[in-house]
Amino acid sequence: MMSLYGSTGKCEIHATMKLVDLLKVMELLGRSAIAVFLLFLVASRADYCEKPPFNAYLYCNYSASITERVKDLLSRLTVLEKMSQTATNASAIERLDIPAYDWWSECLHGLAQSPGVFFENDLTSATSFPQVIGLGATFNMSLVLAMGQVISTEARAFANNGQSGLTFFAPNINIYRDPRWGRGQETPGEDPYLTSQYAANFVKGIQEGSEDRRYLKAIATCKHYAAYNLERYLDVRRVNFNAIVSDQDLEETYLPAFKACVQEGQVGSIMCSYNAINGVPNCANDFINNKIARDTWGFEGYIVSDCGAILDIQYKHNYTSDTNITVADALKGGCDLNCGHFYEKYMEDAFDNSTITEEDIDKSLTRLFTSRMRLGMFDPPEIQPFRQYSVKDVNTPEAQDLALNAAREGIVLLQNKGSVLPLDIVKHSNIAAIGPNADATHIMQGNYHGIAPYLISPLQGFSNLGINATYQIGCPVACNDTEGFPDAVKAVQGVDAVIAVIGLNNTQEGESHDRTSIALPGHQEDLLLELKKNAAKGTPLIVVVMSGGSVDLTGVKDIADAILWAGYPGQSGGQAIAEVIYGKVNPSGRLPVTFYPASYINEIPYTNMSMRVPPGRSYKFYTGTPVFPFGFGLSYTTFEIKWKDTSTAKDYYLKTTHDEVVNYEATVTNSGSRPGSVSVLAFITSSVPGAPMKELFAFKKIYLEPTESVDVSFVAEPKVFTTVDIYGIRKIRPGAYKIIIGDDDHHIKHNVFISA
């Protein structure tokens, strides 16, 4: 396979073949071969700007500014050629020696199979990190940054080998609004601040990496913009869902992560989502795309539609009734690139009818070709960074260690009665490993994954520690009978410990389908009862929950001695689970979502987008009693937190006009007997009417040996003291505020009073 950038041979397939011919070829090849075929086109014609007369054109002059180069390139294109560049599989322009390019590659938590990425030749796998919800549970943004850097390095290696594009549809930073959402597993969780920090760090890891600021390592796409968190629930579909969102919720909950993506991460791309907001489909929504993202936040990249979303404007939302108007509304509404072929099919008619102008098209093409130039696609290989990456930079020992550490740090200890954990590797060397996920492999990757170099199941993880484990499934995830119970019961006879690995999988939660229940599916809870009843008295029952979303564990709390939540922990997930259970690693994860009782979904309509509708959504507004709260997580050691300076105990009195930055300094001590990491969370509460019950504004993860102490500081900038009113206006308002650092069991507080 030839390089994405430089041709080393001749192409037998003409790179400018018409769409109709391309579709015929696709029919012959079959859908599974489409991605390979398109990448072949890209790789086969990637020698542009290297030979005359093209190398004399200004757009090939790498010493000129990108602005000048793009302007020159557009001046040489016909209108029809420009139109051919508005689909994600952009056509080649042979007369200017510009090859085809597929904009659609995936890397949610590692390079993933997609139209732009495929695994073959010397590159048959890539590092598979935990699913994003587990990464949110780490509360470790330096880890997220490092993961992004590994992914982009492997992406460049694949691209240099002609097996990947460099524009990626990740990260998913929608707020996990409701536990029923099937794609919540793809997000960092329910909190806007946590999600914002994840977004900024992931994007930096993907895009940055060179002192030469002309070039991006790859381009990330923050999706799905905006207020998208419903797939298919009963008779409601994402493709025609009209999200009724208040100005308050939009500013307070649904937009902050995207703002951080743009302003802190400097992201190169945004994906507009399937849904509409207040009657306007997002891919035709001038308000959110142009007025907010571009004019207010300063976004300079391109906006790509979710796949098929332009068509949905007309045929699902019924927002338009004419293809010319649909093209115009989407293009002028800010969507530059159509994942699909609606633009390609109808843009010419819209132009001929003067519904759009060449200037409209040029705005989008300027953003698209600027992005390609920033990726180095028009410049000699020898002057570019990132061109040296190859197969040796994929699946490195360092990358594998990072994936394992990410899995370790994302595991949350929810319950530990009588300090039954960690198990002793000698006293508990003979165990029963029971449950639908006890021997999970691919399940541990969640969705949007690639091919991992290996997958270590929990069963294999125990074996790697020298533990003798007898395995029985007992009950599949959604089992509707108890046929497997007798074998499971037999397996627990005479063992030192029972470890049940239960939860969900992608048949329960995933793209295109939501959950209609948040209880444990099937007879899993019944299985746990049988295991507890039939194991010898005193035999510890450890329950590990694999899931993306929260599940009601009320009954499990009564049955199990200890409970761990592992998300979908990636290629080394089973190893991490075993190490945590046996104390090789001290658990340090914290829940990135609220675990609600099963009755929650009967109290609040899924389609209601309000965060405050009773009984409230997320830890910020939920007035009920959670099964486990957001931010909860136990350890095998104990941590104490105190103010570093006792003067902090004095109250602060500020004005609403204040621009003072308050620095809260605390000392954290490991007061237990085991080394471990702890995420210290900082919240703010206020008496302002309508304000959240509490709100995360900072967090830090630190590692401490026994008796070791470290000072940490949390900066409360004026924006920390802002609240959003019903009109969507964020500002500092008079009231009593309280800073809370730490968790419910051990925290410190500080009062701030703000007057008009």
Side-chain angles (χ1 to χ4, degrees):
M1 179 63 67
M2 287 166 280
S3 166
L4 177 65
Y5 310 93
S7 174
T8 56
K10 295 181 179 179
C11 177
E12 298 299 326
I13 301 175
H14 201 275
T16 56
M17 65 166 53
K18 296 178 181 178
L19 176 62
V20 64
D21 298 322
L22 182 61
L23 293 173
K24 288 178 181 177
V25 171
M26 288 179 176
E27 283 184 19
L28 293 173
L29 293 175
R31 291 184 65 185
S32 63
I34 291 174
V36 176
F37 178 74
L38 289 176
L39 259 292
F40 185 71
L41 289 183
V42 172
S44 65
R45 292 297 304 152
D47 56 348
Y48 47 127
C49 281
E50 294 184 5
K51 58 179 181 284
F54 316 110
N55 58 2
Y57 294 160
L58 179 59
Y59 72 81
C60 287
N61 182 356
Y62 59 86
S63 63
S65 71
I66 288 180
T67 301
E68 293 174 313
R69 296 173 69 186
V70 171
K71 185 177 180 180
D72 177 70
L73 176 56
L74 294 187
S75 73
R76 300 176 187 277
L77 298 177
T78 67
V79 173
L80 290 179
E81 286 171 336
K82 291 176 180 179
M83 294 176 187
S84 75
Q85 301 302 296
T86 59
T88 47
N89 52 338
S91 301
I93 304 171
E94 182 102 346
R95 69 180 188 85
L96 294 176
D97 206 35
I98 298 173
Y101 180 67
D102 198 314
W103 293 83
W104 182 0
S105 294
E106 300 282 359
C107 71
L108 184 68
H109 51 110
L111 284 182
Q113 292 163 313
S114 46
V117 179
F118 58 97
F119 298 82
E120 65 171 36
N121 302 322
D122 294 329
L123 292 170
T124 57
S125 64
T127 308
S128 186
F129 291 91
Q131 178 60 293
V132 179
I133 194 70
L135 296 166
T138 70
F139 281 83
N140 185 345
M141 295 304 107
S142 62
L143 187 154
V144 172
L145 177 67
M147 177 188 71
Q149 292 167 338
V150 167
I151 292 172
S152 57
T153 292
E154 297 192 346
R156 275 286 177 166
F158 271 66
N160 291 340
N161 205 48
Q163 293 180 220
S164 175
L166 291 172
T167 46
F168 291 91
F169 291 178
N172 181 342
I173 55 168
N174 295 117
I175 293 301
Y176 202 165
R177 169 182 65 95
D178 189 288
R180 285 165 280 200
W181 186 31
R183 298 184 75 176
Q185 61 171 289
E186 300 175 28
T187 77
E190 69 183 32
D191 181 70
Y193 180 76
L194 172 61
T195 305
S196 296
Q197 293 303 299
Y198 182 94
N201 282 279
F202 181 89
V203 169
K204 289 176 182 177
I206 293 293
Q207 295 190 167
E208 298 176 359
S210 171
E211 294 181 0
D212 189 340
R213 305 302 291 179
R214 289 178 299 173
Y215 296 108
L216 295 173
K217 196 175 181 186
I219 287 178
T221 300
C222 287
K223 64 181 188 181
H224 310 78
Y225 187 59
Y228 169 81
N229 33 43
L230 178 148
E231 298 300 302
R232 179 176 181 174
Y233 186 76
L234 303 177
D235 59 346
V236 182
R237 310 287 178 89
R238 61 182 181 171
V239 293
N240 62 4
F241 178 57
N242 180 26
I244 305 301
V245 185
S246 69
D247 292 338
Q248 184 177 43
D249 283 331
L250 201 63
E251 169 65 24
E252 184 178 60
T253 297
Y254 296 117
L255 294 186
F258 289 97
K259 182 179 181 180
C261 219
V262 171
Q263 295 188 333
E264 296 179 46
Q266 298 291 303
V267 74
S269 174
I270 291 172
M271 176 182 283
C272 55
S273 57
Y274 289 114
N275 59 287
I277 292 178
N278 300 331
V280 183
N282 286 349
C283 289
N285 198 319
D286 175 72
F287 176 67
I288 66 168
N289 296 331
N290 292 324
K291 290 183 173 59
I292 293 181
R294 291 191 166 110
D295 298 343
T296 304
W297 298 342
F299 175 60
E300 296 180 347
Y302 63 90
I303 294 178
V304 58
S305 76
D306 207 337
C307 298
I310 304 299
L311 178 146
D312 294 338
I313 293 170
Q314 181 171 336
Y315 296 108
K316 300 298 182 182
H317 289 285
N318 299 315
Y319 182 73
T320 57
S321 58
D322 175 86
T323 56
N324 294 331
I325 299 299
T326 304
V327 169
D329 281 5
L331 194 64
K332 294 178 182 181
C335 184
D336 306 303
L337 188 63
N338 175 199
C339 185
H341 294 284
F342 199 93
Y343 278 176
E344 192 172 21
K345 189 173 182 181
Y346 298 111
M347 188 175 281
E348 185 176 354
D349 285 342
F351 178 79
D352 290 342
N353 289 316
S354 299
T355 314
I356 61 170
T357 66
E358 188 168 4
E359 183 181 0
D360 295 326
I361 302 170
D362 282 353
K363 281 184 180 179
S364 292
L365 267 289
T366 297
R367 296 167 185 143
L368 295 172
F369 277 110
T370 295
S371 299
R372 290 179 73 170
M373 287 189 180
R374 291 202 68 195
L375 290 167
M377 293 183 181
F378 288 74
D379 295 355
E382 60 271 15
I383 73 162
Q384 297 180 46
F386 318 125
R387 290 302 304 276
Q388 76 277 14
Y389 294 117
S390 65
V391 63
K392 67 179 176 58
D393 299 296
V394 178
N395 296 326
T396 64
E398 294 77 14
Q400 309 316 316
D401 286 346
L402 186 66
L404 175 57
N405 284 329
R408 290 164 172 160
E409 291 197 31
I411 294 173
V412 184
L413 179 60
L414 297 175
Q415 179 169 286
N416 194 18
K417 293 179 182 176
S419 297
V420 65
L421 289 181
L423 298 182
D424 186 283
I425 205 161
V426 175
K427 293 180 180 178
H428 304 100
S429 61
N430 183 34
I431 67 170
I434 311 294
N437 291 331
D439 197 25
T441 52
H442 293 288
I443 292 169
M444 298 190 303
Q445 294 180 279
N447 62 4
Y448 278 88
H449 62 80
I451 298 176
Y454 49 79
L455 292 165
I456 303 175
S457 69
L459 194 63
Q460 181 62 49
F462 296 130
S463 177
N464 291 347
L465 293 185
I467 304 301
N468 178 42
T470 301
Y471 165 70
Q472 287 292 334
I473 190 170
C475 169
V477 165
C479 59
N480 54 18
D481 59 52
T482 59
E483 184 179 345
F485 281 23
D487 288 337
V489 166
K490 184 178 179 181
V492 304
Q493 306 298 315
V495 297
D496 304 319
V498 178
I499 300 175
V501 190
I502 62 171
L504 308 177
N505 60 23
N506 283 325
T507 68
Q508 300 293 306
E509 53 180 354
E511 186 166 6
S512 298
H513 64 279
D514 299 309
R515 287 190 283 164
T516 55
S517 169
I518 60 171
L520 267 177
H523 290 281
Q524 293 187 63
E525 192 170 310
D526 295 330
L527 174 64
L528 297 180
L529 281 168
E530 287 300 304
L531 298 179
K532 186 69 173 179
K533 184 170 66 175
N534 286 279
K537 186 177 180 180
T539 303
L541 172 59
I542 315 303
V543 173
V544 180
V545 181
M546 277 192 200
S547 71
S550 67
V551 288
D552 184 1
L553 299 177
T554 303
V556 178
K557 290 170 71 173
D558 294 333
I559 302 166
D561 295 297
I563 305 172
L564 295 158
W565 178 79
Y568 295 121
Q571 66 183 40
S572 297
Q575 185 70 29
I577 289 169
E579 289 179 350
V580 167
I581 288 175
Y582 279 90
K584 300 290 185 181
V585 172
N586 195 340
S588 62
R590 289 179 176 269
L591 286 182
V593 292
T594 301
F595 273 44
Y596 302 96
S599 59
Y600 177 78
I601 66 171
N602 301 320
E603 301 175 59
I604 190 166
Y606 184 22
T607 53
N608 189 315
M609 297 293 291
S610 171
M611 297 300 292
R612 291 169 171 79
V613 59
R617 299 187 184 279
S618 83
Y619 77 96
K620 294 168 65 176
F621 303 104
Y622 180 52
T623 57
T625 302
V627 180
F628 291 107
F630 169 88
F632 183 78
L634 303 174
S635 172
Y636 296 153
T637 189
T638 55
F639 297 94
E640 292 183 354
I641 184 169
K642 296 179 180 178
W643 292 119
K644 180 182 178 183
D645 184 351
T646 55
S647 66
T648 311
K650 297 178 181 178
D651 297 338
Y652 280 147
Y653 294 88
L654 303 169
K655 295 280 189 180
T656 55
T657 56
H658 87 92
D659 58 0
E660 180 182 351
V661 174
V662 184
N663 185 27
Y664 292 96
E665 293 188 305
T667 300
V668 182
T669 302
N670 182 345
S671 55
S673 59
R674 289 177 175 269
S677 295
V678 60
S679 291
V680 184
L681 311 186
F683 296 91
I684 186 169
T685 69
S686 87
S687 64
V688 175
M693 293 187 295
K694 69 175 183 176
E695 189 169 7
L696 184 71
F697 75 87
F699 55 85
K700 290 189 178 179
K701 191 159 195 174
I702 53 177
Y703 175 85
L704 294 170
E705 294 287 341
T707 73
E708 184 182 5
S709 297
V710 67
D711 294 333
V712 295
S713 63
F714 297 97
V715 176
E717 298 177 348
K719 66 179 181 181
V720 169
F721 297 94
T722 61
T723 55
V724 181
D725 65 17
I726 60 173
Y727 304 105
I729 298 172
R730 179 185 292 277
K731 67 179 184 180
I732 300 173
R733 293 179 167 82
Y737 294 77
K738 193 182 298 288
I739 298 294
I740 303 171
I741 300 175
D743 54 35
D744 290 339
D745 291 331
H746 195 88
H747 59 261
I748 50 180
K749 296 181 180 180
H750 181 256
N751 296 319
V752 178
F753 299 96
I754 299 180
S755 60

